[in-house]
Amino acid sequence: MTLFCGQFKKYKLSPRRIKNICINSGGVLGAKLSNFKGIFDILKHMGVPARDVIKVLDYYPEFALQNRENLLWKKWKIIRKESGRDDIYLRNFMKRHPDIMIKSLASLEAKVNYVARILNRTLKYERAFPLLLHFNYNDVIRPRGDLLRAKHGPRGFDLRQAFGHSDQKFCKFYDIDP
C-alpha cells in the first residue's frame, strides 16, 4: 500500500482521483505495483504524457489494470503492425479511444484475424481500422461480416458501412430482412 501511495504522489494524483481509481478500477491495490507504474512508463515511451494518462484514468479507472503481463504493449504492437500508422497517429488514437485499449487481447486478436483472414482485407488500407475494434465481435463484426461475405463476397462491401450503424440501418442499407 505504501508503494502505491508513492506512485500516487509521484504522478500528483488528487485524493479524489486516488479514490476513483481504487474504487472503480476493479482491484488496482491487489495488483503488482509494476503493473500500475508500467502504464505510465509504456505510454511515456509511446509519447503519451503522464497528464494524459491521468485524464484517461479519470474516465476509465479500469485502465489502471491494463498492463498485466505487458498487455498494453502487446495491443499497441498489434494495432501498429496491422494499421501501418505512424506513432503520432497511434498516440492520438490511444488518447482519444482508450476504451478500445481496455478490451481484451483475445478480443482484439479475434477481430483482427477475422477481418484480415476471413474477410481477406488488408487492414493497412481499411479506413475503418483501427476504429472497427470498438465493435463487438460476436454481436456485430462476425454476424454481419459472414452475412455480407455470403451475399457480396469478401470484398464487396464497405466495413464502415457494415459495422458502423444500428441493426435497422444495416438491414435497410443492405436490403436484408430482419
Side-chain angles (χ1 to χ4, degrees), residues 12-13 15 17 29 33 40 49 51-52 55 58 62 65 74 80 87 98 106 109 111 113 130 139 146 150 154:
K12 298 178 179 138
L13 296 175
R17 284 184 165 141
L29 294 177
L33 177 65
F40 288 91
R51 70 178 177 276
D52 290 337
K55 288 178 188 174
D58 283 344
E62 61 273 20
L65 296 173
K74 291 174 185 176
R80 183 175 59 187
D87 287 340
E109 289 173 335
K111 293 170 189 176
N113 287 334
D139 294 339
D146 287 347

Side-chain angles (χ1 to χ4, degrees):
M1 179 70 158
T2 306
L3 296 173
F4 272 101
C5 289
Q7 288 300 308
F8 293 152
K9 285 181 184 176
K10 177 181 177 182
Y11 296 110
K12 298 178 179 138
L13 296 175
S14 68
R16 178 192 59 80
R17 284 184 165 141
I18 295 169
K19 184 178 177 183
N20 181 40
I21 291 169
C22 291
I23 291 172
N24 298 316
S25 69
V28 73
L29 294 177
K32 293 179 183 177
L33 177 65
S34 60
N35 292 342
F36 183 75
K37 185 177 177 288
I39 291 172
F40 288 91
D41 293 343
I42 287 173
L43 291 175
K44 180 181 178 184
H45 176 72
M46 297 172 185
V48 180
R51 70 178 177 276
D52 290 337
V53 177
I54 291 168
K55 288 178 188 174
V56 168
L57 290 171
D58 283 344
Y59 290 105
Y60 300 101
E62 61 273 20
F63 197 82
L65 296 173
Q66 289 305 303
N67 200 40
R68 292 172 304 208
E69 300 174 17
N70 288 325
L71 287 176
L72 195 57
W73 184 249
K74 291 174 185 176
K75 293 173 189 177
W76 180 277
K77 282 182 8 183
I78 290 171
I79 293 172
R80 183 175 59 187
K81 176 185 166 222
E82 296 296 336
S83 71
R85 307 282 181 148
D86 63 7
D87 287 340
I88 294 170
Y89 175 89
L90 292 173
R91 179 194 68 212
N92 292 334
F93 172 77
M94 196 348 266
K95 288 168 35 178
R96 290 183 187 125
H97 303 285
D99 53 327
I100 291 176
M101 299 302 278
I102 290 173
K103 299 193 184 291
S104 75
L105 180 63
S107 170
L108 189 138
E109 289 173 335
K111 293 170 189 176
V112 166
N113 287 334
Y114 179 78
V115 173
R117 292 189 178 133
I118 305 299
L119 297 181
N120 196 23
R121 303 288 182 104
T122 306
L123 294 172
K124 289 179 182 176
Y125 303 115
E126 288 296 332
R127 294 180 64 196
F129 189 79
L131 290 175
L132 70 83
L133 297 172
H134 187 270
F135 301 110
N136 186 294
Y137 177 74
N138 292 317
D139 294 339
V140 177
I141 294 176
R142 180 87 190 243
R144 291 182 184 187
D146 287 347
L147 187 66
L148 292 175
R149 185 172 57 123
K151 189 172 181 176
H152 298 287
R155 296 185 155 272
F157 59 94
D158 180 49
L159 294 180
R160 289 180 301 161
Q161 187 68 37
F163 303 143
H165 296 287
S166 67
D167 290 340
Q168 293 80 15
K169 283 186 179 180
F170 168 78
C171 290
K172 184 178 178 181
F173 185 82
Y174 288 105
D175 196 28
I176 296 172
D177 244 355

